Structures are given as C-alpha cells and as structure tokens.
Amino acid sequence: MATVAVIGAGAVGSYYGARLAQAGHDVRFLLRRDYDAVAERGLRIESHHGDFALQHPTIARDPVAIGPVDWVLCGLKSTALAEAAALIRPCLTPGTRVLAIMNGLGIEERLAASLGAERVFGGLAFTCINRGEPGVVHHIEYGQIGIAHLRDDPDELDRALALWQDATVEVTRQPSLLRARWEKLCWNVPFNGLTVAAGGVDTEVIVSNPALRAEARALMEEVVAAGNADLAAAGSPERIDGEAVITRMFTLTDVMGPYRPSTLIDYLEGRAIEVDAIFAEPARRAHYLGVPTPRMELLTALLARLDPGTREG
Amino acid sequence: MATVAVIGAGAVGSYYGARLAQAGHDVRFLLRRDYDAVAERGLRIESHHGDFALQHPTIARDPVAIGPVDWVLCGLKSTALAEAAALIRPCLTPGTRVLAIMNGLGIEERLAASLGAERVFGGLAFTCINRGEPGVVHHIEYGQIGIAHLRDDPDELDRALALWQDATVEVTRQPSLLRARWEKLCWNVPFNGLTVAAGGVDTEVIVSNPALRAEARALMEEVVAAGNADLAAAGSPERIDGEAVITRMFTLTDVMGPYRPSTLIDYLEGRAIEVDAIFAEPARRAHYLGVPTPRMELLTALLARLDPGTREG
C-alpha cells in the first residue's frame, strides 16, 4: 500500500486518485472548489465501468496537511503550472515520485526544474472525464493511462506500473515520454483546439463535418512531423507512426459521441484555456526545429485571443 | 448623363450610387429593408469627405419598376449571387453594362454566365463603409474604387471610367480583373476572416496583436502565391508584387482604427457571411493549381462552421 497525494483534484485527478483508493492505497485529495461537498457527501465516480464512491476520503485544503507521501498525482491544469511546485513540495520526501496527469508539452521538464528529474513521470490519460456536480465525476468513455518517465528509466517505469497493479485502470508502459507526449498532442491539438475555434462545438461536429475533419487530420500531420523532428533532435531512436496514430485517433473519436474536451469546457465556462502547453509550446518547438506548422500557428493565435483567461489583455 | 440602377443598395451600393446621383446621373435604387425610411426621409451619406443627402431619390422594391438602364451597379452580397441575375435582368438592354461592386473571387464569371461577358465589370472598393440607421450610410475612411473589365477590354474600361468622371470618387483603372481581385483578397481574407474567427474583434485588434498580425501577413502571402499561380495559369503576364501589396495593406489598415469589416458585421448580426466567394473559392483555386494554402483552408473550415447562415446544417 502506498500513500498518494492528489494535487489538483479536478475531474481527471479525482478519478485516478479514486481508482487508487479503490485498490487499497492511502489517497489524500487536495481540494478547493469541491472541499465542502466531498466533506459532506464523499466523492462519487459515475463510470461506464460501474459507479463507485469513496464515503470518507482523506481531504485537505492545504498540501501541508497532506504531508509527505510516496506518490504525488498532479492533475492541475497546465495554466496552473507555475504554482504546481509550491503545492507539491510539502508532500515530498527524497523518495517521493510525481506523476503529472496533465495535457501538453514541456510539463515534466518544468516540474523537474523545481523538483528534480529522477522523480518526475508523465501520465497520458486517454479518457473522457468531466466534472459533474460538486463531488461527482463523470467517467464517460475510455480511461487508459500511458505512463512514462522523464528520463525514460525502465526501473522507474516498473515502480510506477506497480502502483497501478491492483487498480481498475488500464495502464500502458510508455518507453519514451517525448513520443507519448507528441502522440497525445495528435488528439489534443485538433480536438481541444477546433472545438473551441469552430465556435464551441463538440468532437462529433469536428469528425462529421468534412472540412473540419480534414483540418483535424492536417493538424495531426503537422504534430507528427514536428514530433518526429523533436525526437530526432533529442537523439531518440523512437518515431511516431503517423498514419497508425492518426487512424487510431479518428477511430477512437468517431465513437466518442458529442464529447466536450476539457479546453472546450474551460472556454465555455469562462476559465483560462491551456493555450501554452497544448498549442504554443508545440508550435514553438516546431518553429525552432524548422518544421512548418502553419495550421497550428494560426490555431494558436486564434485560441490565444479567444482565451477567456487573457482576453482582457 | 447615364441611367443607373443600384441593385443591392446596402451600404456600399447606396454610397456609390449616391455619388453618381450627386454627379448628375439618373440613379434608381432597389431597396428592401430601407425602402420606407428612404421614401420618408431620403438617403443620407455621412462621409469623411463631407455629408450629403439625396432628398427624393428614385427608389423601387422591384427591378421591373426600375426598368432598362445604361449601367447596373450590383452591390449585393456574394451570398445572394444566385439571385443576382434575376434581379438585374429587368434592367438590361443589349447595351447595358453591369459593375459588380462585390467581394470575392469568381463573381464576374458567375454573372457573365447569365448576362454575357462583354458587359460585366468588377468594382473593387477599398473603403470603410457601414450602414447606419435605415436610410443612413456611414462612410468612415478611404473610398477609392478600382474598376476592371471581365475581358480586360481597354475600350470598355474607358467607358466605365467615363461614368465616374464627375463623381467625388477616386477611381483607378485596373487593367487586369484577375490581378485586382486577388490583390483585394489580400485584405479581405485576413481581415474579414480573422476578425470573425478570433471571436468577433475589429481590425485594430488584428494589427496590434503580434501573433494575429503575423497570421494576417502569412495569409496574405498565401493569397499572393495563389493569385500569381492563377494569373500564370490564365496566361496573363500580370503578377502581384507581394511585398508591395502586403506593405500597402498593413499601412492602410494600421490607420483605420477599430474598423469592423462587412463579414464581421454580418456575423455579429447573425446574417450569412461571404464564406464561399472570399474564402472557399480562392482556396479551391489554389488547391486546383497546386499552391499550398494551409492557413486559408483552416480559416475557411472554421468560418463555414461559424457562418450564421449555415450553422443549422
């Protein structure tokens, strides 16, 4: 049994934390918005794999109250990345590992700059999860999580996979964090981006509108090209199999129904959207590597302006 | 003195028609929305060149009531192009000329298919004109109109320029319709497009936001490349001087202030926007010619979805 702190217990953090608690781990949730609701009624997961609830989860408003743990699950939005280290640090011992279940590129590198690279892992959740009423999480579809280590250390990966051994979560071992991050962007760039830029529509609109579907594919091709250049520049022998990944992304999305990605929900609810980590950072890297990404650049410029978090500026 | 029918007397049609009336021509306006207001109070032009009014302009609700004229000024939106020929035909004699003061590519060719090519001219208005209250037009900035003939016939061009001889309008002779259309798209594609796609912002936001300004320039570069390929394919010796045109477009727009292009106003007021003529047709031609226009394609797909005229579909 491990001790686990969930820092950033939004929909994704709460879901995966609850799965670890269900498997017998000692999980402690850092809550803000939902603290009172969870204190009163517990944490309820309404999942397509079967509903369950944690009646009396350990919760805190301050990470100091959580204290040192074996594992930190960081489910913060990338827009809160600047505050992440300060929230995580009270939970650390020299042996604590940190799994960042977040979207975008450069997340683990940024955490490592404050926390040290050896302990940082990336969690790539491919899942449809939304917040419901306070204290309730809707797990709609999928749920797998790819786990990678910042230094791609196989022993560290073994340790991370062991944590999930008894949890009702499909975990995949990702030997290359960089490749896994770019592959995940093949979904997030087109679908988190176009659902916002096309006026606030769900993924079903994107895949069923021929012009938008073609744009989604073209964006994926830019992501693949940039990702493979990034892997080559990093000296990695890994490469993204573009056609296979693109086919998989469409296959998964075609059956997803009218799903609203987290960026769309943030946009519709007037919160800051993850422009920098999901769009601007990949576009910057591509530019630096000399890979043309005209669509990603246009989409990024539009989203930066549409972002409720910076629209004042 | 010529007889002139203004078919599609929105802001642009009303303005140029009023300038011809001011110069002594017999101008007849086809009106719908503003008919009662103009019948009661006349047509008022509030212009940065000085205000003026037509107290009792000749107006009609039906082109049959206008009857045959020397010149038709067609100021319809390109979204009404399918109905244009039927509205123009009652005003035609064999000698009638038609000047399409409209945005987009392929307008004159479409009119020529119904009306004959010899009589069709393109009018490329570079001006900031908006509708005010019914019967009032705001002429905010600029006002020049480039005139071209569909077959680039110099004698026909002489005839067209003669019409405007005494009017308070700066008219330029455009020896190549195709070049003039593409050059005008260098403004309309980025500014009509990005002001809508960036969430409904004016031109000042585009030119003062570095990322959006860079995207506007990149879109212009795509338009120039496509336009020059189109000119070459048409066997024309004309070429667009990209850097000169792009510099001019930014210079003109930088001093325009917070201008709202017609497409933005249509979008904000829930009317159909001119996606096909301004965006989709240029992108189709570029695609046919093998010129990559990734930004124009993405912008077109987004606008087609944002278009209030088709959002139901």
Side-chain angles (χ1 to χ4, degrees):
Chain A
M1 193 198 75
T3 51
V4 179
V6 178
I7 303 295
V12 167
S14 296
Y15 175 75
Y16 288 105
R19 285 293 183 195
L20 289 178
Q22 191 186 35
H25 296 291
D26 172 6
V27 182
R28 306 157 192 186
F29 298 85
L30 182 73
L31 293 173
R32 276 179 292 197
R33 202 173 73 178
D34 285 8
Y35 184 93
D36 290 335
V38 175
E40 203 173 302
R41 300 189 296 274
L43 178 62
R44 183 166 173 76
I45 311 293
E46 300 187 349
S47 170
H48 70 112
H49 293 150
D51 301 349
F52 69 103
L54 308 181
Q55 297 300 338
H56 300 289
T58 307
I59 62 177
R61 291 185 197 272
D62 186 322
V64 173
I66 292 179
V69 291
D70 300 318
W71 278 92
V72 171
L73 259 57
C74 181
L76 293 167
K77 286 280 164 68
S78 62
T79 48
L81 194 57
E83 297 99 70
L87 290 170
I88 293 171
R89 205 169 283 117
C91 305
L92 296 187
T93 67
T96 302
R97 265 57 187 160
V98 177
L99 175 63
I101 311 182
M102 299 170 72
N103 280 324
L105 202 63
I107 302 292
E108 293 80 10
E109 292 83 344
R110 291 271 302 275
L111 289 176
S114 306
L115 308 176
E118 298 72 19
R119 64 166 99 235
V120 175
F121 296 74
L124 300 105
F126 198 92
T127 183
C128 299
I129 295 180
N130 288 166
R131 257 173 155 160
E133 60 192 285
V136 180
V137 171
H138 298 297
H139 176 217
I140 303 157
E141 191 62 85
Y142 304 116
Q144 70 177 74
I145 187 165
I147 295 187
H149 181 253
L150 177 52
R151 296 254 168 102
D152 295 334
D153 182 318
D155 296 333
E156 290 289 346
L157 268 177
D158 287 343
R159 179 199 285 244
L161 292 169
L163 174 70
W164 298 88
Q165 194 166 283
D166 298 322
T168 309
V169 173
E170 186 194 339
V171 176
T172 63
R173 183 187 183 98
Q174 297 292 335
S176 162
L177 174 67
L178 195 57
R179 193 182 95 167
R181 279 287 170 212
W182 280 103
E183 286 190 2
K184 181 136 170 45
L185 287 170
C186 285
W187 197 88
N188 288 128
V189 167
F191 291 108
N192 291 46
L194 293 175
T195 53
V196 171
V201 299
D202 58 49
T203 55
E204 199 165 60
V205 170
I206 306 299
V207 296
S208 62
N209 175 311
L212 289 171
R213 189 182 178 98
E215 290 304 312
R217 163 174 270 277
L219 280 162
M220 290 182 201
E221 289 168 354
E222 290 187 0
V223 173
V224 169
N228 280 334
D230 201 18
L231 285 161
S236 168
E238 301 270 344
R239 290 295 179 275
I240 301 161
D241 179 348
E243 274 311 303
V245 170
I246 291 171
T247 299
R248 175 156 49 88
M249 292 304 176
F250 276 112
T251 303
L252 292 167
T253 313
D254 281 337
V255 296
M256 213 174 258
Y259 180 62
R260 308 199 309 170
S262 60
T263 306
L264 174 62
I265 292 179
D266 288 337
Y267 171 71
L268 294 174
E269 296 186 356
R271 288 191 299 271
I273 61 178
E274 300 185 288
V275 178
D276 199 73
I278 300 180
F279 304 94
E281 175 63 18
R284 276 193 298 265
R285 275 205 211 175
H287 183 77
Y288 174 78
L289 295 162
V291 178
T293 55
R295 287 177 167 88
M296 219 165 18
E297 289 176 6
L298 174 56
L299 187 60
T300 302
L302 293 173
L303 293 171
R305 173 68 205 179
L306 292 166
D307 181 5
T310 60
R311 204 181 289 174
E312 307 303 299
Chain B
M1 194 197 73
T3 50
V4 179
V6 178
I7 304 295
V12 167
S14 295
Y15 174 75
Y16 287 106
R19 286 292 183 194
L20 288 177
Q22 190 186 34
H25 295 292
D26 172 7
V27 182
R28 306 157 191 185
F29 298 85
L30 181 73
L31 293 173
R32 275 179 290 197
R33 201 173 72 177
D34 285 8
Y35 184 93
D36 290 334
V38 174
E40 205 173 300
R41 300 189 297 272
L43 178 62
R44 182 165 174 78
I45 311 293
E46 300 187 348
S47 170
H48 70 112
H49 293 151
D51 300 352
F52 69 103
L54 307 180
Q55 297 301 338
H56 301 288
T58 307
I59 62 177
R61 291 185 197 271
D62 186 322
V64 174
I66 291 178
V69 291
D70 300 318
W71 279 92
V72 171
L73 259 56
C74 181
L76 294 167
K77 285 280 163 69
S78 62
T79 47
L81 195 56
E83 298 99 69
L87 290 170
I88 292 171
R89 205 170 282 118
C91 305
L92 296 185
T93 68
T96 302
R97 266 57 188 161
V98 178
L99 176 62
I101 311 183
M102 299 170 71
N103 281 324
L105 201 64
I107 302 292
E108 294 80 8
E109 292 82 344
R110 291 272 302 274
L111 290 176
S114 306
L115 309 175
E118 299 73 18
R119 65 164 98 233
V120 175
F121 296 74
L124 300 104
F126 197 91
T127 184
C128 299
I129 294 180
N130 288 166
R131 256 174 157 159
E133 59 192 287
V136 179
V137 171
H138 298 297
H139 175 216
I140 303 157
E141 191 60 85
Y142 304 116
Q144 70 177 74
I145 186 166
I147 295 188
H149 181 254
L150 178 53
R151 296 254 167 103
D152 295 335
D153 183 318
D155 297 333
E156 290 289 348
L157 267 179
D158 288 344
R159 180 199 284 246
L161 292 169
L163 174 70
W164 297 87
Q165 193 166 282
D166 298 321
T168 308
V169 173
E170 186 194 338
V171 176
T172 62
R173 183 186 182 98
Q174 298 291 335
S176 162
L177 174 68
L178 196 56
R179 194 182 94 165
R181 278 287 170 213
W182 280 104
E183 287 191 1
K184 180 135 170 47
L185 288 171
C186 286
W187 198 87
N188 289 128
V189 168
F191 291 108
N192 292 46
L194 293 176
T195 53
V196 171
V201 300
D202 58 50
T203 55
E204 200 164 59
V205 170
I206 307 300
V207 295
S208 62
N209 175 312
L212 290 171
R213 187 181 181 99
E215 289 306 311
R217 162 173 271 276
L219 281 162
M220 290 182 200
E221 288 168 353
E222 290 187 2
V223 173
V224 169
N228 280 334
D230 202 18
L231 285 161
S236 166
E238 300 269 346
R239 291 295 178 274
I240 302 160
D241 180 347
E243 274 311 303
V245 170
I246 292 171
T247 300
R248 175 156 49 89
M249 293 304 176
F250 276 113
T251 303
L252 292 167
T253 313
D254 281 336
V255 296
M256 213 174 258
Y259 181 63
R260 307 199 308 170
S262 60
T263 306
L264 174 61
I265 292 179
D266 288 338
Y267 170 71
L268 293 174
E269 296 186 357
R271 289 192 299 271
I273 61 177
E274 300 184 288
V275 178
D276 199 73
I278 300 180
F279 303 95
E281 175 64 17
R284 275 193 298 265
R285 275 205 211 176
H287 183 77
Y288 175 78
L289 294 162
V291 178
T293 55
R295 287 177 167 89
M296 220 166 17
E297 289 176 7
L298 174 55
L299 187 59
T300 302
L302 293 174
L303 293 170
R305 174 67 206 180
L306 292 167
D307 181 4
T310 59
R311 205 181 289 174
E312 305 306 298

